[in-house]
Amino acid sequence: MTLDDFPRGVLPAEPVVPRVDRPSPSVQKVTRAEELRLQLADEIVRGALAPGAPLDETDIARRFNVSRTPVREALRQLVASGLVESRAHRGAVVAQPSVERLTSMFEAMAELEALCAGLAAERMSAAERHGLEAVHEELRVLSYAGNPDRFHEVNERFHNAIYAGSQNGYIAEITLATRVRVQPFRRAQFRNLGRLAKSQAEHDRVVVAIMRGDKQGAAAAMRAHIELVRGEYEIYAVSV
């Protein structure tokens, strides 16, 4: 995982940010592994796959009509997120991060994202700021559409733009890696009633601070946003 090719100068309207949480579509088996990971993560977070349920590679491959290779990779990624446990001689089983573990993950996420937002407020080029505003506007339109999956996809681009705008590849790399672990929980909370509009309003406070070059304000707005994401996930978890 490397961000050596992060943009350092003037960027196009939409910043190009390497993705560690969504493999390149040019490799079909990796793309399929990502699709499987998202599908299984949704089922686990919704409770369709209960804690302790076995996740047999052969059964999953047969269910989705794929080879065991993308299944193995999807399960590996789910282990990294804490949704699956890999046990010696027992294979993979559904896990559930403890409240303490999940709280720690979100706390780290909030601080890393706040750091990126603060640095972006200081360092973003004019082209990067324009790109961020464009993605923010796209999310505004999507907030009325009621499609949480599509909103989630564009939301990742929004956060990626801020990571890139920090102009610190190492911090951006750590932040992206942490998001991989928290992603299933962040994705689930978009299903809460009215959450898309709320998320857009939270983003708006972040964008305004970045555009003003307000480092402390951008960091505080982003930190508050991620803390609210955690709260929304907790509401979702109780409802399923």
Side-chain angles (χ1 to χ4, degrees), residues 88-218:
H89 311 299
R90 291 185 57 189
V93 298
V94 176
Q96 174 63 44
S98 67
V99 173
E100 293 77 12
R101 174 69 171 173
L102 200 54
T103 296
S104 296
M105 291 165 67
F106 269 107
E107 283 181 351
M109 188 84 265
E111 293 305 316
L112 288 167
E113 295 245 14
L115 179 57
C116 286
L119 291 174
E122 287 188 325
R123 302 176 179 179
M124 263 188 162
S125 68
E128 287 176 308
R129 292 170 191 268
H130 176 74
L132 179 63
E133 286 184 308
V135 178
H136 183 48
E137 175 61 19
E138 187 175 351
L139 282 170
R140 185 189 67 78
V141 174
L142 287 171
S143 69
Y144 301 117
N147 185 335
D149 290 336
R150 177 58 181 157
F151 191 93
H152 167 74
E153 291 175 4
V154 180
N155 178 68
E156 289 188 335
R157 288 167 45 206
F158 174 85
H159 286 271
N160 280 357
I162 293 174
Y163 304 166
S166 73
Q167 303 299 341
N168 186 312
Y170 184 69
I171 291 174
E173 181 178 324
I174 295 171
T175 307
L176 280 163
T178 302
R179 192 175 73 190
V180 170
R181 293 175 176 263
V182 185
Q183 186 194 48
F185 311 102
R186 293 179 68 158
R187 189 168 186 253
Q189 51 96 30
F190 285 129
R191 295 192 178 91
N192 288 352
L193 183 64
R195 178 56 192 155
L196 303 189
K198 291 178 184 177
S199 181
Q200 177 65 11
E202 293 157 22
H203 284 178
D204 196 60
R205 289 188 281 273
V206 175
V207 172
V208 167
I210 289 176
M211 296 306 157
R212 289 176 176 170
D214 180 0
K215 181 178 183 179
Q216 292 185 347

Side-chain angles (χ1 to χ4, degrees), residues 9-25:
V10 177
L11 297 179
E14 181 179 317
V16 178
V17 182
R19 299 293 297 275
V20 298
D21 57 331
R22 188 178 296 275
S24 169

Side-chain angles (χ1 to χ4, degrees), residues 25-45:
S26 63
V27 183
Q28 184 61 35
K29 68 178 182 180
V30 176
T31 300
R32 189 55 177 144
E34 173 68 1
E35 293 173 354
L36 286 171
R37 181 181 74 85
L38 291 173
Q39 177 67 34
L40 293 171
D42 278 347
E43 293 181 5
I44 292 170
V45 173

